[in-house]
Amino acid sequence: MTQTLQKISSSKTFEGELTKYGFESAVLGGLHAQFNLFLPADAAHGKVPVLVYLAGLTCTEDNGAQKGGFLGVAASQGIAILFPDTSPRGAGIAGEDDDWDFGTGAGFYLDATKPEYAKHYNMLSHITVELPQVIEAAGLPIDLNRQSIFGHSMGGHGALTLYLSSKTEQYRSASAFAPISNPSKCPWGEKAFAGYLSGGVAEGIKHHDATALISRSKDPVHILIDYGTGDHFYKQGQLLPEKFLEAARDAGYDEVQVRVRRHEGYDHSYFFISTFASDHVHFHANFLKQKNKM
């Protein structure tokens, strides 16, 4: 099936262009899907590397593009940024709009295996397979051999798990702002795994828990994580970055391979994200600007 991209809107920014596209997504069960794509000025002269940003609970493809503070530094580094949505929209499944932390706006970047969600809730395949195919088919100037991934909260969980579950083959590096680092051990993750996966939390641990994945990893990795001590979700035990760090160190990864930074007083908001946005884009630029993987 060939998906035809519809250009919905476009704005010039930092000498580049931020464009919103829509298309009928086969992976999401034929539902309309949207994403934003920032192309730096360098894209006028050839293909550029791409950084994928995954947003958090309740967000859309717009939050990171509008509030993240990523575009200026990405433009200076000649890097495109892809902003997908956080879930399918309009599936019409009973209960999908009952809670803010499950269903619409909360796809958790996995492919559902429970029958009632399996047709539509396939954000993992949407991001890792479908969007690259759609972008390539449309002739957009993206070098899909040079991808990295980052995200916030639920999106940080997505970035880490998509990176680690691909055994770093698809993405050159991963970073996260206040990620849900050990979802099988926190209320958000337990709810998502029980709701989307036929095997529940046990299935989630195997395939979709960054802490479990890093503990089993033998591949070279490039990971950066930032979180704030003023984050109320951190205080509630939803994020558990220390568990991820402990598992990474036990697996033999040092400070160069896995760096977790604790910032005094910062919360969960885009004020926190935008403060460290430049650090993250520059981190990925180290790997994306290399012609071959490091």
Side-chain angles (χ1 to χ4, degrees), residues 3 34 50 74 89 93 117 131 151 171 194 221 229 237 240 288:
Q3 296 100 334
Q34 297 185 167
V50 64
R89 304 274 166 177
I93 302 168
Y117 288 98
L131 287 180
Y171 305 107
V221 299
T229 62
L240 304 175
L288 289 173

Side-chain angles (χ1 to χ4, degrees), residues 38-40 46-51 77-81 141-148 172 285 287-291:
F38 171 73
L39 290 176
K47 291 185 176 182
V48 295
V50 64
L51 183 53
Q77 296 299 308
I79 294 171
I81 305 186
I142 298 297
D143 182 356
L144 293 170
N145 292 315
R146 291 188 289 162
Q147 299 184 59
S148 287
R172 295 188 173 192
F287 309 104
L288 289 173
K289 295 171 82 171
Q290 301 292 325
K291 290 301 181 183

Side-chain angles (χ1 to χ4, degrees), residues 240-261:
L240 304 175
E242 296 95 341
K243 294 292 186 183
F244 180 85
L245 179 59
E246 180 183 358
R249 294 290 181 264
D250 288 346
Y253 294 110
D254 62 20
E255 178 75 6
V256 174
Q257 296 162 308
V258 176
R259 188 175 186 187
V260 178
R261 306 190 303 185

Side-chain angles (χ1 to χ4, degrees), residues 6 13 26 65 84 97 120 123 140 159 170 177 197 225 232 294:
Q6 173 194 3
T13 178
D97 295 322
H120 300 292
M123 293 304 292
L140 296 171
Q170 181 164 2
F177 303 91
L197 303 176
I225 294 174
H232 60 287
M294 295 175 66

Side-chain angles (χ1 to χ4, degrees), residues 54 109 149-151 154-164 171 174-176:
L54 305 182
Y109 303 108
I149 191 165
F150 68 150
M154 177 185 71
H157 144 78
L160 294 173
T161 56
L162 269 56
Y163 174 68
L164 291 168
Y171 305 107
S175 72

Side-chain angles (χ1 to χ4, degrees), residues 38-174:
F38 171 73
L39 290 176
D42 291 19
H45 308 292
K47 291 185 176 182
V48 295
V50 64
L51 183 53
V52 181
Y53 177 78
L54 305 182
L57 293 163
T58 75
C59 292
T60 71
E61 71 278 4
D62 292 331
N63 296 74
Q66 294 176 357
K67 300 192 294 183
F70 307 124
L71 303 187
V73 64
S76 73
Q77 296 299 308
I79 294 171
I81 305 186
L82 172 63
F83 300 91
D85 202 349
T86 56
S87 77
R89 304 274 166 177
I93 302 168
E96 72 172 338
D97 295 322
D98 289 354
D99 297 316
W100 66 274
D101 57 357
F102 182 84
T104 303
F108 261 81
Y109 303 108
L110 49 74
D111 287 349
T113 54
K114 271 197 171 180
E116 60 268 38
Y117 288 98
K119 179 179 179 181
H120 300 292
Y121 278 75
N122 297 304
M123 293 304 292
L124 188 157
S125 292
H126 175 66
I127 290 158
T128 61
V129 179
E130 187 174 44
L131 287 180
Q133 289 176 345
V134 167
I135 286 169
E136 185 172 36
L140 296 171
I142 298 297
D143 182 356
L144 293 170
N145 292 315
R146 291 188 289 162
Q147 299 184 59
S148 287
I149 191 165
F150 68 150
H152 171 232
S153 192
M154 177 185 71
H157 144 78
L160 294 173
T161 56
L162 269 56
Y163 174 68
L164 291 168
S165 63
S166 76
K167 297 189 180 297
T168 72
E169 287 300 311
Q170 181 164 2
Y171 305 107
R172 295 188 173 192
S173 51

